[in-house]
Amino acid sequence: MNEIICPNCKKAFKIDEAGYADILKQVHDHKFEEELQQRLAYANTEKESAIKLAEATVKSLMQDQITNKEKELTELKSQSALALSQKLNVKDSEITQLKARIDNIEVEKKLAINEAVQKVQKERDSLENDVKTKDLEKQSLENSLKQQFSTVLKTKDDIIKYKDEEIARVKEMKQRLSTKMLGETLEQHCETEFNKLRSTAFQRAYFEKDNDARSGSKGDFIYRESDEFGTEIISIMFEMKNEGDETATKKKNDDFLKELDKDRIEKKCEYAVLVSLLESDSELYNTGIVDMSYKYPKMYVVRPQFFIPIITLLRNAAMTSLKYKAELALVKSQNIDITNFEDKMTTFKEGFSRNYDLASRKFKEAIDEIDKTISHLQKTKDALLSSENNLRLANEKAEDLTIKKLTHGNPTMKAKFDELTDNAE
């Protein structure tokens, strides 16, 4: 459909291909017909002008000659009759000649008119041929425009058909996925798809949920695979994002790439893959596997139907470098063995030195305790010796003690002892 704006009312209306071609033909026919009529009218005007000019010229010439002859006749009337007769004869002869000349002029005039008519007819024929040529050109142009318009319409129809088919395919995919995933999440769907092939295609693969959120975030699944020698072939951090059509706030895939790249680095994965149903109308993400490594290294965005193919694709690519990884792992293991031996030697030395220091300190503490014990025993010995001396002095004092000494200077006690002595006697 073409949109045309009316030059008078400035109102736009649409017209199909047939109507557009018909209007174009009417405009061209009217234009060529008008030009033909103008040229024919111009040719007729020139013809009539030429005829009138020739007639006026002949009439003027004849009128002048007749006027001159009448003057001569008037002059001749005054002459003699003989001379007049002779002159009349001469004049009659001249008049005859003039009439003959007039006849010749009439013939010439007719010839001129015929020539002018023929010229006009030739111009008319030329104009008719031009009109036919223009009609042919117009027809050719119309056919060319129709062909181009038809091609454009066909291309547009093909594009519309492709778009409709693509929309129908996406809708069918969404409906199929929605039906298949009814009652389960996208994560469960991917896990189920992987488990279907785990025993046959991924026997040495690790595919489990990422439950480590110590860094504040975590992915959904981690895929790791190693060969029979324990050399890692590939590792992938997966994030699954699903959003229903009824969701008010629509998210974009780019909103999750930065966090996914962070999780990939923290969990030491080689690749990161976002399995997404977001932006369902995007032609970019609906084409298949989208490489996002221009934003984040080794980053891909896929639809759920490409979940297994992306693993297979990355796994096959990693298998080519497996030999080099094995050699690198061997070198690393050798270096690790040497490092472990050196670490053990260092650990033994450090342990022996620590134990020696502890034993040395304990031995010194024991010596110090023995010295303290000896000093304590010496003090005890000195105390015992001092006690023996005091006991000896006390014994000597006890032996030297008498009643006389006890009562000396104490009359009361002396009286008591004297009384006791008397009673005894």
Side-chain angles (χ1 to χ4, degrees):
M1 299 296 289
N2 292 320
E3 189 175 89
I4 297 177
I5 298 176
C6 178
N8 293 326
C9 63
K10 305 299 182 182
K11 183 178 180 181
F13 61 94
K14 293 185 177 180
I15 191 169
D16 59 4
E17 178 186 359
Y20 178 76
D22 186 41
I23 292 175
L24 185 63
K25 184 175 182 304
Q26 292 180 16
V27 172
H28 281 286
D29 291 346
H30 178 72
K31 185 175 180 181
F32 281 100
E33 185 67 25
E34 184 179 356
E35 185 178 357
L36 175 63
Q37 293 298 329
Q38 289 177 355
R39 291 197 180 184
L40 289 175
Y42 178 72
N44 290 330
T45 303
E46 285 188 347
K47 181 182 75 173
E48 292 177 358
S49 298
I51 294 171
K52 289 180 180 180
L53 180 61
E55 289 178 353
T57 303
V58 171
K59 287 181 180 180
S60 178
L61 181 60
M62 290 179 65
Q63 188 65 35
D64 291 340
Q65 289 179 356
I66 291 170
T67 301
N68 291 332
K69 293 303 178 183
E70 287 178 353
K71 289 181 179 179
E72 290 178 359
L73 287 174
T74 303
E75 293 175 354
L76 288 174
K77 285 180 182 179
S78 61
Q79 298 176 1
S80 60
L82 182 58
L84 181 58
S85 177
Q86 292 177 352
K87 288 184 177 181
L88 286 174
N89 291 331
V90 173
K91 295 301 180 182
D92 290 336
S93 177
E94 291 178 353
I95 289 171
T96 302
Q97 292 177 358
L98 287 173
K99 289 182 178 180
R101 289 181 64 185
I102 289 171
D103 293 336
N104 292 332
I105 290 171
E106 288 290 337
V107 173
E108 291 177 356
K109 181 180 72 171
K110 289 180 180 180
L111 291 174
I113 291 170
N114 290 332
E115 184 178 356
V117 170
Q118 290 177 358
K119 183 178 179 180
V120 170
Q121 288 177 349
K122 287 181 179 180
E123 290 182 356
R124 183 193 63 188
D125 295 338
S126 177
L127 288 173
E128 289 179 352
N129 292 331
D130 291 341
V131 169
K132 290 180 180 180
T133 303
K134 294 295 183 183
D135 287 337
L136 293 175
E137 291 178 355
K138 181 188 71 173
Q139 189 67 27
S140 176
L141 180 61
E142 288 179 355
N143 293 333
S144 176
L145 289 174
K146 287 180 180 179
Q147 184 67 26
Q148 292 179 3
F149 191 68
S150 177
T151 303
V152 171
L153 284 177
K154 188 175 183 302
T155 304
K156 183 181 71 174
D157 293 338
D158 292 340
I159 293 173
I160 293 173
K161 182 179 178 182
Y162 173 77
K163 297 276 188 185
D164 293 339
E165 292 176 352
E166 190 68 16
I167 292 171
R169 184 185 67 81
V170 173
K171 287 183 178 178
E172 182 182 358
M173 179 195 72
K174 289 179 64 179
Q175 184 177 4
R176 179 171 55 83
L177 288 176
S178 298
T179 303
K180 188 174 182 179
M181 293 162 54
L182 186 63
E184 63 180 11
T185 65
L186 181 58
E187 297 177 15
Q188 292 173 336
H189 165 71
C190 294
E191 186 176 14
T192 302
E193 291 298 315
F194 183 84
N195 289 332
K196 288 179 181 178
L197 302 174
R198 184 191 288 268
S199 60
T200 55
F202 305 105
Q203 295 179 358
R204 295 191 181 92
Y206 167 88
F207 184 76
E208 301 294 339
K209 287 188 66 65
D210 180 18
N211 296 319
D212 185 3
R214 289 177 294 179
S215 61
S217 65
K218 64 184 182 67
D220 289 329
F221 285 92
I222 295 178
Y223 172 88
R224 296 185 189 275
E225 186 173 358
S226 303
D227 62 4
E228 61 272 17
F229 303 106
T231 303
E232 184 176 283
I233 301 173
I234 187 174
S235 58
I236 307 173
M237 170 63 71
F238 281 100
E239 181 78 14
M240 286 74 174
K241 290 298 175 184
N242 188 7
E243 185 174 64
D245 294 333
E246 69 278 0
T247 305
T249 304
K250 298 294 183 181
K251 295 289 186 179
K252 294 185 177 180
N253 292 316
D254 289 346
D255 298 337
F256 302 97
L257 298 183
K258 182 177 180 181
E259 193 70 21
L260 178 58
D261 184 64
K262 177 184 174 184
D263 294 334
R264 178 188 72 85
I265 295 172
E266 290 178 350
K267 304 303 166 57
K268 294 183 171 64
C269 292
E270 184 177 2
Y271 294 95
V273 177
L274 176 63
V275 183
S276 170
L277 283 173
L278 306 180
E279 300 182 68
S280 59
D281 297 331
S282 173
E283 294 183 2
L284 173 63
Y285 297 112
N286 290 334
T287 54
I289 298 172
V290 181
D291 186 359
M292 305 298 291
S293 57
Y294 64 93
K295 287 187 175 181
Y296 299 97
K298 297 186 177 183
M299 176 79 68
Y300 296 90
V301 177
V302 300
R303 293 304 188 197
Q305 64 268 30
F306 295 102
F307 168 66
I308 297 298
I310 188 63
I311 297 178
T312 306
L313 181 66
L314 296 177
R315 180 192 186 203
N316 292 338
M319 291 296 291
T320 58
S321 61
L322 181 60
K323 178 180 177 182
Y324 304 103
K325 286 187 176 181
E327 294 177 356
L328 181 61
L330 179 61
V331 174
K332 284 183 177 180
S333 64
Q334 293 174 350
N335 292 335
I336 289 171
D337 290 340
I338 296 172
T339 303
N340 290 336
F341 179 76
E342 292 177 350
D343 290 342
K344 289 179 180 179
M345 287 292 294
T346 303
T347 303
F348 174 76
K349 289 179 180 180
E350 291 176 353
F352 183 82
S353 177
R354 184 172 59 255
N355 293 333
Y356 175 79
D357 291 338
L358 289 173
S360 178
R361 286 198 299 269
K362 293 295 182 181
F363 184 78
K364 186 177 180 181
E365 289 177 0
I367 296 297
D368 291 339
E369 290 297 329
I370 291 172
D371 290 339
K372 290 179 181 179
T373 302
I374 291 172
S375 176
H376 181 69
L377 290 173
Q378 185 66 36
K379 290 180 180 180
T380 303
K381 177 183 177 183
D382 294 339
L384 290 172
L385 291 175
S386 175
S387 177
E388 182 184 3
N389 188 36
N390 289 327
L391 288 173
R392 184 182 59 81
L393 292 175
N395 186 42
E396 289 177 354
K397 289 180 178 181
E399 290 179 355
D400 191 45
L401 181 64
T402 62
I403 295 174
K404 186 183 289 186
K405 289 182 178 180
L406 289 173
T407 60
H408 179 73
N410 190 347
T412 302
M413 291 302 297
K414 185 178 179 181
K416 291 293 182 182
F417 277 107
D418 289 340
E419 183 181 354
L420 289 174
T421 301
D422 293 337
N423 291 329
E425 291 178 356

